[in-house]
Amino acid sequence: MKKSDKELIKESYDYLKDLCDYLSDEYEYEFEAPATEEEIKNWEKENKINIPSMFREWLLLTKNCNMANRSWRLFWPEIDETVNVLVGSFIGDGEYLYFSKETGVFFTLFEGDEEDFDSFDSVLTYISVDLEDKAEEIFGEDWLEEFENQYN
């Protein structure tokens, strides 16, 4: 049975939060309080933009989060002067995450180069891979077994 957007995003959220906690001796992190459905609807109405469903589910879990010493930031949507909505920044080097106001497609923009994502869940997978690499650097290649024992 195919998982709903809500189930997929909740699973990714829980995994990222656990990974951040696992890495917390080396990297600071913060997941702020969730948005309300009313806040999201008001934002959409004010801006005449529909927030993509997966990102909506994310916002219902946290309005803003910072992972791995702010290397990965996902935040409340900000209107860009273009046809894009800014929702994150990566690695602190000028790479930003957007979704298109018109299509809802997520993409990063870095030094003029654009990289599209299939979905917001793909964005979360992209972040997870980096955090997993950090875990392997710190705890060695057997980190996953220790992680699973601690968080499952």
Side-chain angles (χ1 to χ4, degrees), residues 128-144:
S128 295
V129 168
D130 179 70
L131 294 178
E132 290 165 353
D133 288 347
K134 287 176 178 7
E136 187 172 328
E137 286 172 23
I138 295 165
F139 299 106
E141 59 187 54
D142 296 332
W143 75 271
L144 187 56

Side-chain angles (χ1 to χ4, degrees), residues 4 10 13 26 32 45 147:
S4 69
K10 175 69 169 123
Y13 171 86
E26 297 288 328
E32 293 182 13
K45 188 176 177 182
F147 173 80

Side-chain angles (χ1 to χ4, degrees), residues 88-150:
S89 67
F90 293 169
I91 317 295
D93 62 0
E95 184 174 5
Y96 292 97
L97 176 68
Y98 297 89
F99 71 82
S100 167
K101 290 180 195 178
E102 296 167 352
T103 65
V105 171
F106 283 88
F107 63 94
T108 55
L109 204 53
F110 179 64
E111 295 181 349
D113 292 331
E114 188 176 310
E115 182 180 339
D116 290 353
F117 288 89
D118 294 340
S119 67
F120 182 66
D121 193 49
S122 295
V123 171
L124 299 178
T125 299
Y126 182 70
I127 295 169
S128 295
V129 168
D130 179 70
L131 294 178
E132 290 165 353
D133 288 347
K134 287 176 178 7
E136 187 172 328
E137 286 172 23
I138 295 165
F139 299 106
E141 59 187 54
D142 296 332
W143 75 271
L144 187 56
E145 186 178 328
E146 181 184 324
F147 173 80
E148 288 175 346
N149 288 336
Q150 193 171 338

Side-chain angles (χ1 to χ4, degrees), residues 8-26:
L8 276 173
I9 297 305
K10 175 69 169 123
E11 206 173 85
S12 293
Y13 171 86
D14 289 342
Y15 181 64
L16 283 169
K17 203 166 180 188
D18 287 348
L19 263 176
C20 285
D21 186 62
Y22 186 68
L23 294 167
S24 64
D25 286 347
E26 297 288 328

Side-chain angles (χ1 to χ4, degrees), residues 9-70:
I9 297 305
K10 175 69 169 123
E11 206 173 85
S12 293
Y13 171 86
D14 289 342
Y15 181 64
L16 283 169
K17 203 166 180 188
D18 287 348
L19 263 176
C20 285
D21 186 62
Y22 186 68
L23 294 167
S24 64
D25 286 347
E26 297 288 328
Y27 297 101
E28 292 179 18
Y29 73 98
E30 179 181 18
F31 286 75
E32 293 182 13
T36 64
E37 190 65 49
E38 184 179 353
E39 287 174 303
I40 293 170
K41 285 179 182 175
N42 288 341
W43 187 92
E44 288 177 321
K45 188 176 177 182
E46 270 179 40
N47 295 290
K48 297 175 182 67
I49 299 169
N50 290 325
I51 293 174
S53 65
M54 285 185 168
F55 190 61
R56 169 186 287 272
E57 293 301 331
W58 178 265
L59 292 173
L60 291 168
L61 296 167
T62 181
K63 271 190 199 178
N64 296 292
C65 71
N66 298 304
M67 297 171 273
N69 293 347
R70 301 174 68 85

